[in-house]
Amino acid sequence: MAIRKLQEVGGATGVTIPKDDLILEDLLNASGELNGEYHAHIKYEGGGEWRLKLLDIDGNADSTPQTE
């Protein structure tokens, strides 16, 4: 499990995703840059947990948000 620090990001709070994980999902190219434009659905699960799910908006990802 990667530990990441919460950061201020233009009026919001963000956290980074480890590049190794993004490479495993084929979201980064060989130069470490994003392979296109991606969108994600972020859902608060409670108890300090969030779920991030890639969306298939531009044909880059093959999943849709879960509404459990």
Side-chain angles (χ1 to χ4, degrees), residues 20-57:
D20 289 345
D21 293 341
L22 297 173
I23 290 169
L24 288 174
E25 291 294 322
D26 198 30
L27 300 177
L28 298 182
N29 63 25
S31 300
E33 299 169 339
L34 282 172
N35 275 336
E37 186 172 312
Y38 297 92
H39 298 84
H41 177 261
I42 302 168
K43 179 182 177 189
Y44 178 61
E45 297 287 317
E49 293 187 26
W50 286 261
R51 175 185 296 173
L52 182 138
K53 185 95 170 160
L54 284 180
L55 302 178
D56 186 11
I57 291 177

